[in-house]
Amino acid sequence: MPKIMWKALDNLSPSNIKLSQLPRKPDGLYNMHFNEYGQIVKRAGYAVYNTTSLGASHKIVGMHRNYRKDLTKEFIVAWNTKWYKLAETTPWGGTALLSESGTDLTLTADKDTFFAYFDDVCYIVNGTDGVFKYDRTYARTVGITVPTQPSCVAQGSGGSLGAGDYKYCYTYVDEDGYESNASAVSAAVTCVASDSVILTIANSGDDKIASKNIYRTSVGGAIYYYEGAVADNTTTTFTSTIADTALGTEVATTHTAPQSTSHLITKRRNRLYLAYSDYLYPSVLSDVEYFPATYRKRTGNSQKIMGLLEQLTALPITTVDSIERLVGTDEDNFELKNSYSTEGCIAMRSYVDCDNLMVYLGHNGINYFDGVSSNIFSKALNKYIRDNIVKAYASLSCATYWNDKYILCYPKTGGTYPTETVWYDLKNKIYGVYSFAFSCFSLWDKGTDVLQLKGGSNTIGQVYSVFSGLDDDDSAITAYDDIEPLDMGKPEVYKQWYSVFIKVKSTTATQLTMYYTLDNNS
């Protein structure tokens, strides 16, 4: 038969088929991928970031690059029972965040930790210990305990109160100006004309409290109006003297503290949103530390919220079986709408925004939600995940979006934590496998960081710079491209093969292995 040249080259070259189009198993590209020119390349490695580990026997359970308005940056890491700020210079050691009392903050060990940034404050939840805010100095709880009931005594003179009965209440105010709901009201106190009242109030044990606001009724009234403030958290008395006509605004009733076991947090427009079990709690507009119970929305199937990220004008909320969208921007037009989705999210850390596609791990593999309905990228890749994932530990899977790829670490057969990574390239529709095994990711993409990716260890308090260097923490990277058998179109005709020339350029390799398949599939 005549000689026929059949070419498979990169995407920039003239050929019958492109290298990226050759049939491969889901793990056919192992530690390799295609670059922007359609050429197959070995992935970069990873290297230790904080050279001194935070400690042993516990994994990294959360990481966040905290970008500030003044262009400074902080790297917050959750490990064991503490949150740490890693230094910005070598060896990037960790310093434990301080609590409100100025001592190291102590938390429940190994709780998945999530972060959100609003108005130069980093908000943090771990599903157990409360909602926190970190202001560069302290990690303080969000929400204020309501004060105890005040007592009051009429003085008989010294003020401008009218004759009749009055009642009082008061609130705590923190250093950022956020206020608690009011205390229980006092017993009625009876005054004569031109009277004053001495109010006895309690100090707060919360170190962030900076002052107290005093409220009272007008004579014989039932609505509480602002009268004045105690400008510290040490004074325990207040003298009420002003006339009813000088009273200020009405006391607020929506300054509700957030649910202490909230497990997810995100920012959308000028609000924060908390996930607490199967409830979504929107904050008050701009004053994002108030979470009125009247605003809350419950998922339609009453299942725990597993994903919470802003997508264009909506807020998709996924449970293990469904996706709903919060539409509207204000409490008077908020509405949860069910989406056309048959798959929800089974791993909270797998839920990632990939250029406004919400991509996540479901029971059937990798899914995406486009704002209306959900779908899958690849049946073959999803089958590979289903065949290999350890279902008992699937909820520990984590993901990120990097260089057009959705990258998912999951526990492979025999693993009790993420041990292998699959990726899907949203740009050229190719997938493959990396040998990464991380507990969570942190994407650095602002300021002067350029573009960096950090990964957290599954076993110790170690952070790694991912896609950095030529090896994996001084270990060689195994890499191969395994192509499925090719049919040239005439299987019944004996195929004559001629010389095959291979040119390799390398500064480190000492051996080249070439795989081929005969017509009999051997």
Side-chain angles (χ1 to χ4, degrees), residues 262-307:
S262 298
H263 63 276
L264 285 175
I265 186 170
T266 194
K267 177 185 176 294
R268 177 195 176 215
R269 306 290 175 151
N270 287 326
R271 298 179 191 264
L272 287 178
Y273 294 79
L274 292 172
Y276 163 67
S277 185
D278 55 345
Y279 284 101
L280 176 73
Y281 279 85
S283 76
V284 171
L285 190 67
S286 296
D287 289 330
V288 296
E289 294 185 17
Y290 303 140
F291 294 88
T294 54
Y295 289 9
R296 73 179 186 178
K297 302 290 181 182
R298 194 175 194 178
T299 58
N301 54 13
S302 298
Q303 291 180 336
K304 182 179 180 179
I305 295 174
M306 297 295 292

Side-chain angles (χ1 to χ4, degrees), residues 8-15 17-22 24 34-40 425 427-430:
L9 303 172
D10 65 51
N11 291 358
L12 299 179
S13 307
S15 59
I17 193 170
K18 309 301 181 186
L19 287 175
S20 59
Q21 297 171 339
L22 294 178
R24 293 174 174 85
F34 289 91
N35 65 15
E36 64 271 28
Y37 304 111
Q39 299 163 327
I40 191 168
D425 193 317
K427 184 177 181 180
N428 60 31
K429 318 306 180 189
I430 300 296

Side-chain angles (χ1 to χ4, degrees), residues 68-73 120 136:
R68 299 286 188 174
K69 290 180 180 178
D70 63 4
L71 304 183
T72 60
K73 303 174 289 289
D120 240 14
R136 302 194 196 207

Side-chain angles (χ1 to χ4, degrees), residues 482-502:
D482 186 4
I483 299 174
E484 296 275 32
L486 295 174
D487 184 354
M488 299 302 182
K490 294 183 178 181
E492 74 285 356
V493 178
Y494 178 76
K495 299 181 178 67
Q496 298 182 27
W497 296 91
Y498 297 87
S499 299
V500 177
F501 297 93
I502 301 174

